Amino acid sequence: MQTSSSPVPEARSWRVWRGVNRSTRFICRPRLKPLYQLERLAPDEADESSSFGWRSTGNDPQFAWRRQMPVPGWNMLEVAIRHDQPSGSVRLYVDTGRGFNEAESFYLALKPGRIAKRLCYIGPGVRGIRFDPLETEGCFSIEHLRLVWLTPWFACDRLVQRLANLHGQWLETPKACVLSRLKRLAREQNTPWRAIALKQYEETFVRLCPRKSYSEWLAQQPVASQAWLSSRLAAFAYRPTISILLPTYDPTPEALDRCIESVLAQRYTQWQLCIADDASTDRRIGERLRRYAEQDSRIEVTFRPVNGHICAASNSALSLARGEYVALLDHDDQLVPDALFRVVDALQQRPRAELLYSDEDKIDDHGERFDPHFKPAWNPDLLLGQNYLSHLGVYRTARVKAVGGFREGYEGSQDHDLALRFTAGLDSDRIVRIPHVLYHWHAGQGSTASAAAAKRYTGEAGLHAVQDHLSRHARGATAEPGRFPNTYRVRWPLPDPAPLVSLLIPTRDRVEILRPCVEALLERTRYPRLEVLVLDNGSTCPETLNFLGELAGHPRVRVLHWPHPFNYSAINNFGARHARGELLGLINNDIEPINEDWLEEMVSQACREEIGCVGAKLYYPNGTVQHAGVLLGVGGVAGHAHKFFSRHEPGYFSRLHLAQNFSAVTAACLVVRKSLFEAVGGLDEANLAVAFNDVDFCLKVGEAGYRNLWTPFAELYHHESVSRGADDTQAKRLRASREAEYMRDRWRHRLFDDPAYHPNLTLTYEDFSLR
């Protein structure tokens, strides 16, 4: 047992903290003994695993924790494991007399290249500890592992901080109030406060995977009562007729029945079902359609004499429409019973809406629902990359007809083509997201939902639709296929001549990271017109000063000195005042470009008049994602989308590979027009000296009427916070807490309602899992 001051016998109880100096630490470092599904790797093994010390041979590897047992009470588990898996997690089991069990275990997700930490409350009478290093097969090395005993006051502070940052119940509660409210809650429930606190703390470590937990999540959702629905329906002042367009061509009779029955089951009854059968060859389809039309006067059917494909059939259905809005429905899909009710309910508040769209999920031949798509609010750049609007899409009928209805030649992506033409020039407040699953997309054999890759014509039609939109509204921009089916990339033109870009790089000492950053920027940037401004914040290291002296003679580099206490916002504002470029690039001194056209991509986006800040796709050195846009509310203020995902993973509905609008992007690599930077007052050096200044800046740009954008086509490595260091002192933690509280006060109306995200997705993690 080691301490940072005088030793204290292990036999003393946890109450020993009362007489211990706050700096005292009781550190428990184990000697690990392999128990199960583990084999040691020989150092001279001639394969790629030779750099690792161990191999897990199954999904439940286990070590016994030998030599030292921890002091009972609050402990901090610290783990760093290098491994060859896309992600990793560990679990520590403590036996206090009941054997190893889940109730006395502690889960912790690993952080690539960093020490992951979490609190553990360990009861008295520890008989043994088991450490499970991974949950998959793979090779790994344990770089750091220990338990550090904590004084209760410090442990409570860390616990409360995490609850305030990550637990849904406390996200909007000031940290200083969490503990007192926890204790009040415990008194009300006649339960020890620590039991409630530990349960909630543990919940911040539980991950939910949508593909595994959607059915469970559905079972937990409240169901609106019939009385509430009836009351709400009776209160509707605006009752538009919604004409549902249903083109049919040889669906299975059973699928067609389910589709039409889902319309008949609608709780909002002012609808018209417009069916256009496109010369189905199955005689049973016509018989069914006639029978349905005879049973309900709201159903109208037209039978096309010759098959003309889906666009022609959809136009035939459109010609029957008498409603103020049309809703699009495929012949084997289904509406949820309150789909139209939700649409009209939204129209009570937004009666001028031209387009409404909802979330969707998939449904198989057995009625099993899966793969929910919880969508962002209006995101025009994402719409260029994929048709995220469908389904359910509800359009004002007059505008659909005004833009020409469904265009033949775009079969397979006719909905995407319609959405692009319909929304062109439309004010964003006329486009309404309904954050509920209203549509079940059938994923049976041969359907587009289950076989998008097999229907190449849909991707070709979508590419044609995007390019046609660009030709009409964005001269010089071109579309090309994306990495995944039915996704697209837009290449925006650079102005001629290309504007000068000033790259601002704050730095202090650490020449070992500054040199490769500057050299890589100069050598791996194809963009023709740039200047690099190295903003030195009081370097004293002789090697760094020598390197700065070398840079001073470079024709594209200027070294500016800012000899004041560290203030990231102030340093960048200082650099912006001295920048000669029309555009500013805020660049951390631990950034290294991967693709030579990274700056061309960011500048071409930033020069679009409607675009504000442009962010890049940043990776940790091991190739996992560090930044792919900022999600508001995650962690209590903001987090990075898809953090720790593999660079090759598609992400949430391919969003990791699509340019799109985010509320904010990180200033570790951010490009913005200098005029816009100045117009919103730059970064907030008074309130946000270190953290969240980029989020605050982006939100100010958004309030000024511009769209912020993240692009996956500018790729760089980011050795995150290497130069500044972690918030590992009391002073740093207090500063970080003050800055977080400022953001909550300043942007409370935005932090927990991010239009680029969804209220059903987690604010605890950055992986788009369900709440």
Side-chain angles (χ1 to χ4, degrees), residues 48-49 52 82-87 134 137-140:
E48 62 182 15
S49 66
F52 298 101
R82 186 167 53 87
H83 56 85
D84 61 358
Q85 299 302 297
S87 61
L134 285 177
E137 296 182 17
C139 299
F140 65 94

Side-chain angles (χ1 to χ4, degrees), residues 13 40 51 293 301 316 326 429 444 469-470 526 645 656 691 727 768:
S13 76
R40 187 179 288 278
S51 63
V301 183
S316 294
V326 293
D429 64 353
H469 173 84
L470 295 173
R526 195 173 65 191
F645 275 54
L656 199 43
D727 291 329
F768 290 79

Side-chain angles (χ1 to χ4, degrees), residues 533-553:
L533 273 62
V534 178
L535 311 175
D536 179 44
N537 184 208
S539 293
T540 58
C541 164
E543 287 187 43
T544 302
L545 294 174
N546 289 337
F547 179 61
L548 294 178
E550 295 172 18
L551 289 178

Side-chain angles (χ1 to χ4, degrees), residues 633-747:
V634 171
V637 177
H640 288 181
H642 294 111
K643 196 172 186 179
F644 302 132
F645 275 54
S646 164
R647 66 188 300 176
H648 305 296
E649 291 181 72
Y652 191 69
F653 288 88
S654 303
R655 286 181 65 175
L656 199 43
H657 295 268
L658 297 172
Q660 61 203 271
N661 305 115
F662 274 97
S663 295
V665 293
T666 181
C669 183
L670 181 154
V671 173
V672 65
R673 298 191 296 278
K674 183 179 180 181
S675 59
L676 183 51
F677 184 90
E678 294 172 339
V680 301
L683 303 184
D684 185 346
E685 54 192 77
N687 300 293
L688 300 168
V690 178
F692 305 124
N693 36 55
D694 46 4
V695 178
D696 175 75
F697 173 68
C698 288
L699 292 176
K700 291 190 294 187
V701 168
E703 280 199 337
Y706 298 88
R707 300 199 309 267
N708 297 315
L709 180 140
W710 172 80
T711 173
F713 308 116
E715 299 178 277
L716 306 95
Y717 288 114
H718 182 202
H719 309 274
E720 185 185 29
S721 298
V722 169
S723 55
R724 184 178 66 81
D727 291 329
D728 53 4
T729 68
Q730 183 69 7
K732 288 183 178 180
R733 283 193 288 267
L734 286 173
R735 186 267 311 152
S737 180
R738 283 195 305 269
E739 292 179 338
E741 287 301 320
Y742 172 81
M743 286 295 292
R744 291 191 184 104
D745 291 341
R746 170 72 175 84
W747 296 105

Side-chain angles (χ1 to χ4, degrees), residues 492-538:
W492 298 88
L494 282 169
D496 186 16
L500 178 66
V501 180
S502 299
L503 303 182
L504 313 181
I505 307 177
T507 193
R508 179 177 181 175
D509 294 324
R510 300 302 301 272
V511 67
E512 70 276 11
I513 62 170
L514 176 63
R515 182 188 295 274
C517 169
V518 174
E519 291 178 348
L521 287 171
L522 294 172
E523 294 171 5
R524 274 181 253 155
T525 303
R526 195 173 65 191
Y527 187 79
R529 299 193 64 213
L530 65 88
E531 65 166 359
V532 175
L533 273 62
V534 178
L535 311 175
D536 179 44
N537 184 208

Side-chain angles (χ1 to χ4, degrees), residues 107 113 136 319 711 748:
Y107 168 89
T136 60
S319 68
T711 173
R748 187 172 300 277

